[in-house]
Amino acid sequence: MDVSQEPINIEHIREASEILKKGGLVAFPTETVYGLGGDATDKEASKKIYQAKGRPSDNPLIVHIAKFSQLEDISSDLPETARKLADAFWPGPLTMVVNKNEVIPYETTGGLDTVAVRMPNNPVALALIEESGCMIAAPSANTSGRPSPTKASHVYEDLSGKIEAILDGGSVDIGLESTIVDLTEDVVTILRPGYINMEMLKEVVGQVRMDPGIVYNDKGTTGGAKPKAPGMRYKHYAPKGDLTIVSGEEDKVVSAINELAAQGIAAGKKVGIIATIETKGKYNCGEVLVIGDRTEEKSIAHNLYNILREFDELDVDLIYSESFATPNMGQAIMNRLLKAAGQKTIEV
Ligand code: TXA
Ligand code: MG
């Protein structure tokens, strides 16, 4: 699981760097998910990224850098909070949205005057940025509409034949995309929750708010507010099977899921269940997959996308999942899980 323990193959990094310098595309590991990289200053490379992913071209890309001065090179009116946040969290799973200058073309920012930037904490990613001399524009390396890739084989499944190379850095560390913060308004605003949570950000910059467009009420709506990050507006990954989240006290959740699964099976459906190490023995029917250990929330974040891909392969019709409002990463985990479920939740 720990990428940093794998030796860096400098030959592979050099080959990949040559591809990037010539305007080609290379998928590479980061600590969050795999990225599909191209030279961020090359508009043709950015166009190729959208094409390979089948992604709408108004959904901007994140620019990956290896030193803070590169953020200064591509931004204008950089607020002081950027330096503070970089000192606290870079390299790491935090993306900052700042005003851009002319260095990064509109093709990379989906036509916006702002640019999203992060310094990934992964030795392969950093070596690639340094060796190529490129700032690398990279969205998650999945086909648009599929879960983000957490290992090289996921990238291969989605993009083989469409890109020049994949650097295999093993299984990623975190498994959910970076936290995105907007620094262009008065108050630092979270546009996408991730490993770096609200409390961690508050410790560094004081006031932090959540983009109202990503806060859902108990009716499963945002009350009309639209997410500021264009990518959070799109209908996101929905597994082939119809996913429902069941939340409440553990024992009640298990019996409710057992009952729903039995009903589904009786109706001739193939049913999948997302369980934890703690509960897996308590389910008595269906395809039960273990997402992780409740006492180690990182394990749940790490396996979420993988388990959703596995249920697609198993071709289940219905999926029932426990809820994972864990203390630190709960917001990020539930943001992705609720999206996959189209916000469908049953309270027991
Ligand atoms: O962890 C990550 O951030 C991964 C790895 C590869 O670094 N990348 C990633 O990229 O998740 P992607 O393209 O799948 O998601 C980028 C998100 C999208 O929701 C996009 O709309 C938003 O960032 N975004 C990019 N530039 C933006 C900007 N200028 N303003 C607001 N949102 C922006
Ligand atoms: Mg993505």
Side-chain angles (χ1 to χ4, degrees), residues 75-94:
S75 61
S76 72
D77 345 300
L78 194 62
E80 225 188 273
T81 44
R83 168 74 73 177
K84 285 192 195 155
L85 288 169
D87 284 346
F89 301 117
W90 277 2
L94 181 73

Side-chain angles (χ1 to χ4, degrees), residues 2 27-29 36 39 67 88 148 150 248 251 255 265 296 311-312:
D2 194 350
F28 62 97
L36 169 55
D39 178 353
K67 17 180 216 266
S148 294
T150 56
D251 285 349
S255 9
I265 292 164
E296 278 181 50
F311 275 127
D312 276 356

Side-chain angles (χ1 to χ4, degrees), residues 85 89 94 179-181 188-190 192 196-209:
L85 288 169
F89 301 117
L94 181 73
T179 306
I180 303 178
V181 288
V188 172
T189 306
I190 298 177
R192 178 174 74 182
I196 309 284
N197 63 26
M198 170 85 84
E199 285 61 43
M200 292 157 84
L201 292 164
K202 278 185 179 164
E203 268 179 37
V204 179
V205 297
Q207 210 187 344
V208 178
R209 63 169 203 150

Side-chain angles (χ1 to χ4, degrees), residues 9 24 100 112 153 156 177 191 221 225 296 348:
N9 182 322
K100 81 176 201 72
L112 297 178
S153 62
Y156 190 83
E177 305 87 344
L191 304 186
T221 78
E296 278 181 50
V348 291

